[in-house]
Amino acid sequence: MNQRTSVGLDVHARSVVACGLDGRTGELFERRLTPDHRDILEWIRSLPDPVKATYEAGPTGFGLARFLDTVGIECLVAAPSKLQRPSGDRVKTDARDARHLARLLHLDQITSVTVPSVAQEAARDLVRAREDVRRDLMAARHRLSKLLLRQGIVYCGGHAWTQVHDTWLRSQHFDEPGLQLAYETAYDTMLAAVGRRDRLDAAITRMAADSAYTPVVTRLGCLRGVSTLTAFGLAVEIGDWHRLTGRSIGAYLGLVPTESSSGASRSQGAITKTGNGHARRLLIEAAWHHRQPYRAGVDLRRRWDKASPAARARGQRGNRRLHERWAGFDARRKRPVLANTAIARELAGWCWSLAVLDD
């Protein structure tokens, strides 16, 4: 501990409740402040030096932490799931939360999250906007297809949501004006979601080809199922890969099983699902690609051509290894969903090894 005063901030959109704990005298300094950063800084500078501050990660973002760091005040953004709180503490107020954060900071019991740079957070917002549009498009397609199903109309001409399917959708007409308007609205909503998705895909592709993430995206692309969108999403969500290891990245992404062991008994359950859910979903989807026989397609070979020989060789070893694991699970008649989670956990390790590889 190198600070004299530990400051806990309970940050909300319209107010900030602050508590400073003097480590020498035990005195508490409490104040309700406005969210204006200058107001918070002025109060913090009135406290005995040196000062260290913390607040919980949440919807207010990382702007306050960046601002305090630029003026020379260390600020930790605490991981809410790691905050220790007595089980008998049933009274929760803003002042008590700020006081609790200050005490934990004084005891060096704060587990902090990594504060991304402004550029990294912008890229992350772009990836998550694409994720939101993907959900919107799926919901719009479901509404459209179920509207037709209620009328007894089912498409049987091949795969859905292709150009042929789109021509078939355009040919549907109804005599009832209300039903026709509802169908046109659902169809237009689906087209709008497709347009938004395509614009975001184009923007992500451009950024992946010419940005600070390009080397990592190129190396990750040597793995099956990790195309440009997936590789860029993993790169911006994880950020600094060197803070992790091949063994810890699975736990960081919540891909390890829960455990409740005591004495000689050991019980494991479903995966923890802690950490970054966006990166975890990308890995779960990519892991399914390794179930099919290992053949290098045109897209994969094109990604290999962009990578270094070392990255290409490591990617090929990973592809063979993951397919062999899938074959072993299938031979043992393992449930595919459980097997795919195990593959995703190992895939995370291969992604880490490629991300930290020096070309």
Side-chain angles (χ1 to χ4, degrees):
M1 186 182 66
N2 56 6
Q3 77 273 10
R4 174 176 175 177
T5 306
S6 302
V7 176
L9 302 170
D10 192 58
V11 182
H12 297 277
R14 294 178 176 84
S15 66
V16 174
V17 176
C19 175
L21 172 62
D22 190 328
R24 295 181 186 175
T25 65
E27 184 179 2
L28 289 177
F29 308 90
E30 295 182 324
R31 180 76 64 85
R32 179 175 289 273
L33 305 167
T34 67
D36 185 81
H37 294 172
R38 291 183 297 273
D39 188 22
I40 298 173
L41 176 62
E42 182 180 355
W43 179 79
I44 289 178
R45 283 182 168 168
S46 67
L47 303 175
D49 286 331
V51 179
K52 190 175 182 180
T54 185
Y55 67 94
E56 291 187 51
T60 54
F62 301 101
L64 177 58
R66 295 194 192 102
F67 173 77
L68 292 178
D69 285 339
T70 57
V71 296
I73 297 175
E74 185 178 1
C75 182
L76 302 181
V77 181
S81 61
K82 300 293 186 179
L83 292 177
Q84 302 177 16
R85 186 179 293 274
S87 59
D89 188 358
R90 302 299 179 87
V91 179
K92 185 181 185 303
T93 64
D94 293 346
R96 290 172 68 95
D97 287 345
R99 206 174 302 140
H100 183 62
L101 285 171
R103 290 197 181 104
L104 289 179
L105 182 60
H106 174 71
L107 297 172
D108 197 21
Q109 296 295 314
I110 294 290
T111 301
S112 62
V113 301
T114 301
V115 178
S117 64
V118 175
Q120 181 184 351
E121 190 171 15
R124 186 181 294 175
D125 287 339
L126 178 64
V127 170
R128 294 184 179 180
R130 204 273 182 188
E131 174 78 6
D132 294 337
V133 170
R134 183 192 66 85
R135 293 198 198 96
D136 294 342
L137 176 58
M138 184 169 60
R141 284 174 169 175
H142 283 174
R143 285 193 294 267
L144 182 62
S145 62
K146 298 312 178 279
L147 187 149
L148 292 174
L149 180 60
R150 289 195 297 272
Q151 307 304 317
I153 302 173
V154 179
Y155 177 68
C156 302
H159 293 291
W161 315 117
T162 61
Q163 188 62 44
V164 176
H165 184 213
D166 185 70
T167 303
W168 178 82
L169 290 173
R170 291 175 180 271
S171 66
Q172 303 302 312
H173 295 282
F174 303 95
D175 296 333
E176 290 293 331
L179 180 59
Q180 179 64 27
L181 180 58
Y183 177 75
E184 290 175 355
T185 302
Y187 181 74
D188 291 343
T189 302
M190 188 268 294
L191 288 183
V194 171
R196 296 203 310 273
R197 182 201 61 183
D198 293 344
R199 288 195 299 273
L200 289 172
D201 286 352
I204 290 174
T205 302
R206 288 193 301 270
M207 188 175 292
D210 185 19
S211 68
Y213 304 102
T214 302
V216 174
V217 171
T218 301
R219 293 195 293 269
L220 293 180
C222 294
L223 293 167
R224 285 205 298 174
V226 187
S227 60
T228 300
L229 295 178
T230 301
F232 186 77
L234 291 172
V236 301
E237 291 290 349
I238 295 178
D240 183 12
W241 295 76
H242 291 85
R243 60 195 170 96
L244 304 169
T245 65
R247 294 178 62 87
S248 66
I249 189 170
Y252 172 76
L253 296 175
L255 288 169
V256 296
T258 57
E259 184 172 344
S260 178
S261 300
S262 178
S265 65
R266 182 169 184 251
S267 176
Q268 290 185 313
I271 59 174
T272 60
K273 292 186 178 180
T274 58
N276 194 305
H278 299 274
R280 182 171 60 251
R281 186 194 67 80
L282 292 173
L283 288 168
I284 290 290
E285 289 190 353
W288 287 107
H289 290 261
H290 293 273
R291 191 179 190 184
Q292 302 301 321
Y294 179 38
R295 289 189 296 269
V298 176
D299 291 339
L300 182 58
R301 291 187 181 276
R302 188 180 297 118
R303 299 201 299 269
W304 282 351
D305 293 339
K306 299 178 182 178
S308 65
R312 190 183 313 127
R314 183 167 297 182
Q316 290 171 350
R317 289 200 304 271
N319 291 331
R320 294 190 185 94
R321 160 73 178 179
L322 293 171
H323 175 64
E324 290 172 359
R325 289 289 311 279
W326 251 120
F329 284 134
D330 286 339
R332 291 159 48 192
R333 299 184 181 275
K334 191 77 170 178
R335 284 180 57 193
V337 174
L338 297 180
N340 188 69
T341 303
I343 298 297
R345 182 165 55 246
E346 185 166 341
L347 176 60
W350 283 102
C351 288
W352 172 85
S353 70
L354 282 165
V356 300
L357 178 67
D358 294 328
D359 291 333

